[in-house]
């Protein structure tokens, strides 16, 4: 049972345009969400996060939106650059415990065309 | 050493053999994690450790064991490897407080034949 879902395995966008990556979750107890970026043959790197008390968090070209009622979050990249081409994973954690264990989605491969 | 190192980078292993994947960090983070990444399944947590001396089971712990004798090292052992354990394995760390991001190592690609 996939608690965090990324229903688009891949996305292709033109350089300079907006990339929108989507993520849905089923567990209403999740209260912290993260996006990771992964290049081939490298480990994932943290990109941006959002707490459930917010509905938007922005960092440069990257903005994450959270819609709690719909259990949906999205990552917007604008403008998209060829170097953004990578696999993007969303992840969620639930409160409780000394360590935030993350549940990851299956990833979306973003290709930014020059 | 800078950050998180994993060894080996890749390994081909015969089924039934024992294998230990190594993970070492120099960030003095309290928490450490092991994930496996499989196509179409994303990253799944195998085991974790909140702090030295403690470990816990993740989502897919069967066939794997871990130990955390000190802050820096968190080895993952496959006692008797099976082909379904063919995967890319990532070690990660975090400060251990709530809502901290996790930092990932470069990964170990393991093939079990």
């Amino acid at each position: 049972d996939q608690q965090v879902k990324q229903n688009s395995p891949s996305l292709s966008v033109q350089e300079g345009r907006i990339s929108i990556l989507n993520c849905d979750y089923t567990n209403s107890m999740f209260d912290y969400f993260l996006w990771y970026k992964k290049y081939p043959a490298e480990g994932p790197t943290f990109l941006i996060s959002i707490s459930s008390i917010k509905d938007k968090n922005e960092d440069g070209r990257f903005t994450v939106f959270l819609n709690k009622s719909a259990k949906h979050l999205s990552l917007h990249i604008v403008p998209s650059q060829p170097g953004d081409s990578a696999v993007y994973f969303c992840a969620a954690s639930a409160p409780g415990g000394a360590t935030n264990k993350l549940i990851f989605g299956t990833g979306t491969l973003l290709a930014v065309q020059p | 050493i800078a950050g998180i190192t994993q060894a080996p980078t890749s390994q081909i292993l015969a089924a039934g053999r024992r294998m230990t994947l190594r993970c070492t960090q120099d960030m003095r983070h309290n928490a450490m994690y092991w994930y496996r990444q499989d196509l179409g399944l994303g990253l799944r947590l195998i085991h974790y450790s909140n702090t030295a001396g403690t470990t816990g089971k993740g989502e897919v712990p069967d066939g794997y064991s871990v130990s955390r004798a000190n802050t820096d090292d968190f080895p993952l052992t496959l006692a008797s490897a099976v082909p379904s354990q063919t995967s890319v394995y990532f070690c990660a760390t975090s400060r251990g407080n709530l809502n901290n991001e996790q930092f990932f190592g470069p990964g170990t690609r393991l093939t079990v034949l």
Side-chain angles (χ1 to χ4, degrees), chain B residues 23-76:
Chain B
C23 175
T24 299
Q25 57 132 341
D26 67 354
M27 297 185 289
R28 309 303 293 173
H29 283 172
N30 286 322
M32 296 186 76
Y33 313 81
W34 274 105
Y35 292 89
R36 58 179 289 173
Q37 184 197 0
D38 302 289
L39 192 63
L41 295 175
L43 290 141
R44 294 180 293 167
L45 182 65
I46 304 170
H47 284 288
Y48 67 94
S49 169
N50 290 336
T51 187
T54 70
T55 62
K57 293 181 179 180
E59 193 181 348
V60 288
D62 294 343
Y64 306 94
S65 63
V66 291
S67 61
R68 186 90 184 275
N70 57 60
T71 297
D72 298 343
D73 301 296
F74 190 43
L76 176 74

Side-chain angles (χ1 to χ4, degrees), chain A residues 24-91:
Chain A
D24 297 293
Y25 61 96
T26 57
N27 189 341
S28 59
M29 296 300 291
F30 288 149
D31 67 348
Y32 189 62
F33 303 88
L34 308 89
W35 284 94
Y36 280 82
K37 175 179 178 180
K38 185 184 180 304
Y39 292 120
E42 294 184 11
T45 55
F46 170 74
L47 198 54
I48 192 169
S49 63
I50 188 167
S51 166
S52 61
I53 62 174
K54 296 185 174 182
D55 55 18
K56 177 183 175 181
N57 189 27
E58 199 170 348
D59 184 2
R61 296 186 298 114
F62 303 91
T63 303
V64 56
F65 295 92
L66 176 62
N67 182 334
K68 287 190 293 292
S69 61
K71 295 192 181 69
H72 176 83
L73 64 154
S74 60
L75 174 68
H76 292 211
I77 306 172
V78 55
S80 301
Q81 300 173 354
D84 296 328
S85 298
V87 177
Y88 289 79
F89 291 99
C90 68

